[in-house]
Amino acid sequence: MIRLLAFLIVVFALGLGFAWLADRPGDMVVTFSGYQYQVSLMVAAVAVVAVVAAVMIFWWLIKSLWNSPYTISRYFRVRRRDRGYQALSTGMIAAGAGDGALARKKTKEAAKLIRSDQEPLIHLLEAQASLLEGDHEGARQKFESMLDDPEMRLLGLRGLYLEAERLGDRNAARHYAGRAAVMAPQLAWAAESTLEELTARGDWDGALKLVDAQKSTRQIERDAANRRRAVLLTAKAQALADSDPTAARTAAIEANRLRPDFAPAAVAAAAALFKQNDVRKGSKILEAAWKAEPHPEIAELYTHARQGDAVLDRLNRAKKLQEMKKNHAESSMTVARAALDALDFSTARREAEAAIRMDRREGAYLLLADIEEADTGDQGKVRQLLSRAVRAPRDPAWVADGVVSERWAPVSPVTGRLDAFEWRAPMERLGQLIDSHDDASASAAPVIEALAKPVSERPVEVIDDAGPGAPAGKDAETHEDDVRPITAAAFAEVPSNAEAVEPAEELARLPDDPGVDPDEEAEKSPRRFRLF
């Protein structure tokens, strides 16, 4: 565009110049070798312009001829490079698609057309082709050779890190990630691996600095950074709880400020405050966390905030928690436990049954069994409740990578991943869970009512289905106990005014005998198809 504009300006200037000369006529006289040449001024100007143009064209021709070998060689070189980049592009696409044979073929073709020192991607394609072919040793050597090139060093470290992860060598993987993190702190994979290494060593301060660096470089969002900081500060508070209570309190309070709904942070902060006799502030922290999401650890610490409280005081504190989160199974179970300690069996039973109605789970049945044993000592009902507890859904627990823990931990014991533990129900056991009809309270024993008329007082009509050749008299008496098939003719002979006989009701169970569970009886039946 600029060249076109410049050309138009030059043409416009020449036009103005010739127009100016045309308006001012004159002659130009040139004397050369005794001869005198006289031409008009316009003709002289045109001649000068023509000579200059001819000289420029002649110079361009001479220059083109002089540079023609270089131009021709550059043309073939560019054409060769384009073919090489086309092969490189096809090879990268094949490597991404998992076609190892085509990737290796295009690698060789690209290496012939392009020098590897001019295009580092050839090394990457060769390493990817080796990985697709299963030659991990060759790929590792190629990644190691990349460490000598400053431009390819991070790529080589990344490849070596992935190979170490594949082999399960976590120490080597963290070593390569640490080197990459020093060179480029903005790399997410290097920062994550370094964070796992710091948390595995218990270097909570170093991990906190790394999280702050990730937040400042916008590698992670603000909410995710606050979550990680809360987890690390909680872990730091737990580690310093005995050696440095003041530092533990500061870290736990900051963690609770970042995530008020994080139960381990609230428990750590409240425990640190209770140790320093600040019951009021610690109780407020637990109450706020309980309102966000009830948790048994919060309830346990809240009800035992004061060591010298009586059991009735603990029951009142449990009821206070229940008022904050009504119609929740954890609230009812908290009151039931406190009522059991206070020997208030009616309240304990009522709240435990309410918890079962809201959330059928193993702990609720076990708690109700404890209440039944302490109150009535009825071993039959206790065994029945324990049987239901065995087949009920499991209680929520801290679960990480298939590991169930009674206490929260900052990292997974299997993979070392930060913030891996979740409060959820573990995987269900195999077998049949409790049906809804089993949750109903035991009804009163059925009463067997006397029949209106004895059966013996009512004449019984015998349907004779014997044919013409059937035996009679004494022979018929010998066959009176035989079971004979009921046919349509037999049903036709039944009188229309015959009364139906109701089946006898099931006998009442003894109070201390739980009997046979309907599910267990159905499992033993050979006529019912069961998967397990």
Side-chain angles (χ1 to χ4, degrees), residues 123-124 127 139-164 176-177 179-180 183 189:
H123 298 290
L124 175 60
R140 188 179 62 82
Q141 293 178 359
K142 181 58 64 175
F143 287 129
E144 288 180 350
S145 65
M146 295 180 187
L147 300 180
D148 299 332
D149 187 359
E151 188 178 1
M152 301 286 292
R153 186 168 297 151
L154 290 176
L155 180 59
L157 290 173
R158 170 69 171 173
L160 293 174
Y161 167 79
L162 293 178
E163 282 298 298
Y176 294 128
R179 290 181 58 183
M183 296 175 57
W189 63 271

Side-chain angles (χ1 to χ4, degrees), residues 49 67 93 106 117 123 143 154 167 187 197 205 210 294 311 346 350 396 444 466:
V49 171
N67 294 331
I93 295 174
K106 293 300 178 180
D117 56 344
H123 298 290
F143 287 129
L154 290 176
L167 296 175
L187 295 178
E197 181 182 5
D205 292 331
L210 182 57
V311 289
S346 60
R350 182 179 66 253

Side-chain angles (χ1 to χ4, degrees), residues 83-97 99 102-103 106-107 109-110 125:
R83 289 172 54 197
Y85 276 110
Q86 182 64 35
L88 182 61
S89 177
T90 305
M92 294 297 294
I93 295 174
D99 191 350
L102 182 59
K106 293 300 178 180
T107 300
E109 183 178 347
L125 181 57

Side-chain angles (χ1 to χ4, degrees), residues 15-275:
L16 287 178
F18 283 112
W20 182 80
L21 289 176
D23 293 338
R24 292 167 176 78
D27 296 330
M28 184 178 67
V29 178
V30 178
T31 302
F32 179 74
S33 185
Y35 294 94
Q36 186 177 14
Y37 302 93
Q38 182 178 357
V39 294
S40 64
L41 188 60
M42 178 62 70
V43 173
V46 172
V48 170
V49 171
V51 170
V52 172
V55 170
M56 293 178 62
I57 292 173
F58 179 75
W59 175 253
W60 177 78
L61 290 174
I62 296 298
K63 184 178 180 181
S64 299
L65 292 175
W66 181 265
N67 294 331
S68 59
Y70 173 75
T71 302
I72 295 173
S73 63
R74 185 179 63 178
Y75 168 76
F76 286 106
R77 187 169 62 250
V78 170
R79 186 168 178 268
R80 181 186 182 90
R81 185 188 62 183
D82 291 342
R83 289 172 54 197
Y85 276 110
Q86 182 64 35
L88 182 61
S89 177
T90 305
M92 294 297 294
I93 295 174
D99 191 350
L102 182 59
R104 175 61 66 185
K105 177 181 177 181
K106 293 300 178 180
T107 300
K108 296 179 179 179
E109 183 178 347
K112 292 179 181 178
L113 298 174
I114 307 176
R115 294 173 54 184
S116 58
D117 56 344
Q118 295 179 350
E119 184 48 64
L121 286 178
I122 296 179
H123 298 290
L124 175 60
L125 181 57
E126 186 175 357
Q128 292 294 329
S130 299
L131 290 176
L132 291 175
E133 294 173 349
D135 186 9
H136 294 279
E137 182 65 24
R140 188 179 62 82
Q141 293 178 359
K142 181 58 64 175
F143 287 129
E144 288 180 350
S145 65
M146 295 180 187
L147 300 180
D148 299 332
D149 187 359
E151 188 178 1
M152 301 286 292
R153 186 168 297 151
L154 290 176
L155 180 59
L157 290 173
R158 170 69 171 173
L160 293 174
Y161 167 79
L162 293 178
E163 282 298 298
E165 286 284 340
R166 183 187 62 83
L167 296 175
D169 191 351
R170 301 191 62 84
N171 293 329
R174 290 172 178 173
H175 168 72
Y176 294 128
R179 290 181 58 183
V182 172
M183 296 175 57
Q186 72 277 5
L187 295 178
W189 63 271
E192 291 295 329
S193 181
T194 305
L195 183 62
E196 291 182 3
E197 181 182 5
L198 293 174
T199 53
R201 295 204 312 257
D203 188 1
W204 310 117
D205 292 331
L208 287 170
K209 293 180 180 178
L210 182 57
V211 171
D212 292 338
Q214 288 181 316
K215 182 180 178 181
S216 61
T217 56
R218 299 182 181 274
Q219 294 183 25
I220 55 178
E221 299 295 333
R222 180 178 180 180
D223 293 340
N226 291 339
R227 172 75 181 189
R228 288 188 176 184
R229 283 188 56 84
V231 171
L232 293 172
L233 289 170
T234 304
K236 180 180 178 181
Q238 291 180 351
L240 299 177
D242 298 329
S243 59
D244 193 351
T246 303
R249 171 182 174 177
T250 303
I253 291 177
E254 184 179 356
N256 179 255
R257 180 183 60 81
L258 292 173
R259 293 302 299 264
D261 58 341
F262 187 42
V267 170
L273 291 170
F274 289 162
K275 285 185 179 181

